[in-house]
Amino acid sequence: TVAMKDPPTHTRLRRLISPDFTMRQVDNLRPSIARIVAERLDGIAPALERGDAVDLHREFALALPMLAFAELFGLPQDDMFGLAAGIGTIVEGLGPHASDPQLAAADAASARVQAYFGDLIQRKRTDPCHDIVSMLVGAHDDDVDTLSDEELISMLWGMLLGGFATTAATIDHAVLAMLAYPEQRHWVQEDAKGVKAFVEEVLRRDSPVLFSVTPRIAQRDIELGGVVIPKNADVRVLIAASNRDPDAFADPDRFDPARFYGTNPGMSTDGKIMLTFGHGIHFCPGAQLARMQLAESLPQIQARFPTLTLAKQPTREPSAFLRTFRALPVRLHAQRGA
């Protein structure tokens, strides 16, 4: 994938995809994302209003990025749910304690996803639409330096794997922040700057990725923070720890959206940068899509279900590098007079 390449190969691949994955292209999805959010909340409203518990993780946090990717890639929703099931199997296989059967299942799921994307590229080449796969397939036909099918498959695979579980986990963390800090809910009821500030603080304080998956290899012995990193060492950035570095963010465990009010995405009011989406040439190209899903979700959740509360403690997914969930049961507070 692009994340595993260095310049000049990285520069070439990033140049070819960047015009197609701009903020404008993703922003065109905003009405669709808002509609999907409303539809998913409509779906869970009857059960909540009856007083039932609903697994918000399964019914909303997982479903939203699935459907967002269906819109982005121009896929039927049923196809997207099938791909998402494969992603879950693959994530299980990435765990450090994965069994041989889990590894075999992950390999098989990966092969199925790869085959599907290969077929999808051929369909979009024959019958292009206004989706990002069609643009990636056809936008550079007159460019000497085009994307090969293998590179396209790798990019689609990376977008899906990198943006599915992480976005779902961040939606879960955002809802938990709303429930844990009701005095901070006003941020998601205000203007776009207020919503953005709340989203950024969730991304900083509860990064879904604990450390960088992509290794950095030391090209020579180098001293960093008083420690000598030997040549050829595999170095991973502890993203979650960096986002809670007290030298960068005062009182870092405190949930305080004011840190990000009125700033550029990812930057605090005093100019500190969080690393949730990485930094530099390997900055996550899906950051805008993830932020949009959060910004469209939280105000609607607050407006529709202002008395939302935990039905019981959420169940976390055991993982070495992702802070994800298996279940997030919620319900509504009993109404006065009920």
Side-chain angles (χ1 to χ4, degrees):
T1 66
V2 178
M4 297 297 289
K5 302 296 184 182
D6 287 326
T9 302
H10 176 275
T11 306
R12 166 183 163 267
L13 295 176
R14 193 79 179 213
R15 178 181 69 82
L16 288 170
I17 67 169
S18 290
D20 301 324
F21 212 77
T22 60
M23 292 178 64
R24 179 181 298 178
Q25 293 291 349
V26 174
D27 204 50
N28 288 338
L29 287 177
R30 189 175 296 274
S32 296
I33 300 300
R35 171 182 52 79
I36 293 168
V37 170
E39 289 172 354
R40 298 306 300 186
L41 296 182
D42 286 345
I44 64 174
L48 288 173
E49 290 163 0
R50 288 195 304 267
D52 297 343
V54 170
D55 182 357
L56 199 72
H57 172 69
R58 185 184 70 247
E59 301 297 333
F60 185 83
L62 277 179
L64 177 58
M66 286 185 212
L67 297 173
F69 272 112
E71 293 279 341
L72 186 68
F73 289 174
L75 305 182
Q77 290 187 2
D78 288 346
D79 286 10
M80 191 64 240
F81 278 95
L83 289 174
I87 295 293
T89 301
I90 292 161
V91 169
E92 289 180 0
L94 292 174
H97 303 298
S99 64
D100 287 343
Q102 285 177 314
L103 290 171
D107 285 342
S110 180
R112 288 194 298 272
V113 174
Q114 182 168 331
Y116 180 89
F117 280 144
D119 291 341
L120 177 67
I121 288 168
Q122 296 307 316
R123 295 202 307 270
K124 297 298 184 180
R125 182 169 285 126
T126 303
D127 186 20
C129 300
H130 298 291
D131 56 76
I132 199 166
V133 180
S134 296
M135 287 187 289
L136 288 171
V137 168
H140 305 289
D141 281 347
D142 57 351
D143 193 326
V144 174
D145 192 12
T146 59
L147 291 165
S148 69
D149 283 6
E150 290 75 16
E151 288 168 339
L152 280 167
I153 291 171
S154 178
M155 287 178 181
L156 297 176
W157 207 179
M159 289 179 196
L160 186 60
L161 188 60
F164 169 61
T166 53
T167 300
T170 305
I171 293 170
D172 289 331
H173 283 128
V175 171
L176 287 171
M178 291 170 65
L179 302 184
Y181 308 104
E183 73 282 1
Q184 303 286 8
R185 287 193 189 187
H186 67 90
W187 293 100
V188 300
Q189 298 171 286
E190 297 178 3
D191 59 11
K193 288 184 179 179
V195 176
K196 175 258 178 191
F198 191 96
V199 167
E200 296 299 300
E201 180 67 345
V202 170
L203 288 165
R204 179 201 69 83
R205 189 174 178 273
D206 293 302
S207 170
V209 179
L210 295 174
F211 57 87
S212 60
V213 178
T214 304
R216 272 69 173 176
I217 307 300
Q219 295 184 332
R220 57 181 173 83
D221 290 354
I222 184 170
E223 184 175 332
L224 184 64
V227 176
V228 175
I229 299 173
K231 181 180 178 180
N232 296 325
D234 178 340
V235 181
R236 308 295 177 112
V237 178
L238 294 175
I239 294 171
S242 299
N243 284 345
R244 294 203 188 193
D245 182 350
D247 290 338
F249 301 100
D251 195 4
D253 293 338
R254 178 167 51 91
F255 186 80
D256 182 14
R259 302 178 199 271
F260 294 101
Y261 186 76
T263 65
N264 291 327
M267 181 177 290
S268 70
T269 54
D270 56 356
K272 305 299 183 181
I273 297 174
M274 68 169 171
L275 298 182
T276 301
F277 293 112
H279 187 61
I281 65 171
H282 290 294
F283 183 81
C284 175
Q288 171 69 1
L289 180 60
R291 285 180 164 121
M292 180 196 297
Q293 291 177 76
L294 287 157
E296 291 299 326
S297 297
L298 304 186
Q300 288 201 51
I301 291 172
Q302 172 62 20
R304 291 287 299 274
F305 309 121
T307 64
L308 197 71
T309 187
L310 283 176
K312 58 182 179 180
Q313 287 302 307
T315 304
R316 291 189 177 270
E317 188 77 45
S319 174
F321 62 94
L322 289 176
R323 301 180 69 236
T324 56
F325 294 82
R326 285 184 175 174
L328 178 57
V330 296
R331 61 177 177 82
L332 298 183
H333 276 301
Q335 299 298 305
R336 189 174 296 176

